[in-house]
Amino acid sequence: MDSTIKNPRHVAVIMDGNGRWATKRGLPRVQGHRAGVLALREIVKHSRKIGLEYLTLYAFSTENWKRPPQEIKNLMNLLVEYLKSEINDLKANNVSIRILGDISPLHAAVITQLNKAVEETAANNGLILCVAINYGGRDEIIRAVKGIVRDINAGKACIEDIDHSFFEGYLDTKGIPHPDLVIRPSGEFRISNFLLWQIAYSELWFSNCYWPDFTARMFEKALEDYAKRDRRYGGVNSVD
Ligand code: IPE
Ligand code: IPE
Ligand code: MG
């Protein structure tokens, strides 16, 4: 079997372990988040290089509001800083930004920056970079259900319309294929409310390394491992 042809179209990454990376070095957690942004840059660059179609990054979950207010502020500031400093580069490299999650509760300045990044890269047709902010799989599903009920009440849809593909039209990931591969570093073996609907048949790849230590080489290793996986989707192998 030629594994080189088994490239994923969509890779989703749970960027975890920034805090522990910093603590291990006697640094404040925010330094871990800063270092995490450098790893993120590297992985976006590598994704472009290999011609990946979709890269989704989990940046802030609906549960991350439980953190101290200063840490939340730091994370939001870093996000705005990242977008401001990278936007020209992303534009020049044909990257298109999409946001997953409900950004309405975020600070106005953050919303403005996110919308700007989406608008200014909307026409690009290279890598689609999905950033999950205030994202939770359960929240996304609830918002989708509300959207469907709203449309049914308005007479724009009926119960008989509801099937998998109709439902997906109400998710934040509308039009985006399901992730083929989910990468979670940091030594945790859980999904933490990430893309619950979409990862039903995704391949999962875990690593003990903290996100700031994650490199393009590790990304390549995950892709190599992915290429060896046998995705059966509940069926049987043709050679069995
Ligand atoms: C991931 O790193 C960043 C976000 C959740 C936004 P963490 O901050 O969760 O780092 P750990 O898991 O505490 O080490
Ligand atoms: C998942 O990491 C969320 C993001 C990376 C944005 P967490 O650190 O929030 O997850 P748990 O708390 O370990 O499950
Ligand atoms: Mg964590």
Side-chain angles (χ1 to χ4, degrees):
M1 181 183 61
D2 181 10
S3 62
T4 56
I5 54 166
K6 287 175 72 184
N7 292 327
R9 293 184 69 195
H10 183 176
V11 177
V13 183
I14 302 175
M15 305 188 290
D16 192 26
N18 295 350
R20 280 165 286 168
W21 181 92
T23 305
K24 206 175 89 181
R25 287 164 176 75
L27 299 169
R29 289 176 61 85
V30 64
Q31 294 303 338
H33 296 314
R34 284 195 184 282
V37 174
L38 300 181
L40 179 164
R41 280 207 176 101
E42 189 69 16
I43 296 313
V44 171
K45 201 167 118 192
H46 195 70
S47 299
R48 281 199 337 252
K49 195 172 134 195
I50 62 172
L52 186 69
E53 287 179 70
Y54 301 87
L55 176 69
T56 296
L57 300 172
Y58 203 5
F60 192 88
S61 78
T62 45
E63 286 71 36
N64 288 148
W65 295 106
K66 292 176 191 163
R67 297 189 178 206
Q70 188 57 50
E71 177 161 353
I72 295 172
K73 223 176 188 175
N74 291 339
L75 284 165
M76 295 297 163
N77 287 343
L78 276 173
L79 182 67
V80 170
E81 256 177 50
Y82 170 76
L83 291 173
K84 274 189 180 159
S85 70
E86 293 296 287
I87 190 74
N88 286 335
D89 192 56
L90 295 172
K91 271 156 74 177
N93 286 294
N94 208 13
V95 176
S96 178
I97 308 256
R98 282 240 344 221
I99 304 296
L100 310 181
D102 173 16
I103 61 168
S104 64
L106 304 185
H107 194 285
V110 181
I111 298 176
T112 305
Q113 199 59 46
L114 291 173
N115 287 337
K116 190 166 174 265
V118 170
E119 280 158 27
E120 291 188 4
T121 62
N124 291 351
N125 59 6
L127 173 70
I128 297 184
L129 177 60
C130 307
V131 187
I133 308 156
N134 190 28
Y135 176 86
R138 289 177 178 170
D139 180 66
E140 181 191 34
I141 289 168
I142 296 285
R143 285 187 286 106
V145 169
K146 285 183 179 169
I148 292 171
V149 172
R150 228 175 271 127
D151 282 354
I152 289 176
N153 287 345
K156 291 189 209 157
C158 60
I159 290 177
E160 289 68 33
D161 291 334
I162 304 174
D163 60 12
H164 286 196
S165 108
F166 177 89
F167 186 76
E168 292 191 348
Y170 286 81
L171 293 173
D172 299 340
T173 50
K174 180 180 178 181
I176 297 173
H178 300 153
D180 299 295
L181 174 66
V182 177
I183 294 176
R184 180 165 195 160
S186 92
E188 310 296 356
F189 298 92
R190 55 178 171 254
I191 291 304
S192 301
N193 204 9
F194 192 38
L195 301 171
L196 297 182
W197 168 280
Q198 297 87 342
I199 63 168
Y201 269 102
S202 302
E203 295 298 321
L204 309 179
W205 193 89
F206 298 96
S207 156
N208 282 329
C209 118
Y210 296 139
W211 173 248
D213 289 330
F214 198 82
T215 60
R217 179 69 205 102
M218 285 179 207
F219 194 48
E220 275 299 323
K221 176 75 175 79
L223 300 181
E224 279 164 25
D225 289 347
Y226 169 82
K228 293 181 201 137
R229 303 270 180 100
D230 183 15
R231 302 184 76 183
R232 289 186 292 279
Y233 299 96
V236 287
N237 229 331
S238 51
V239 293
D240 287 343

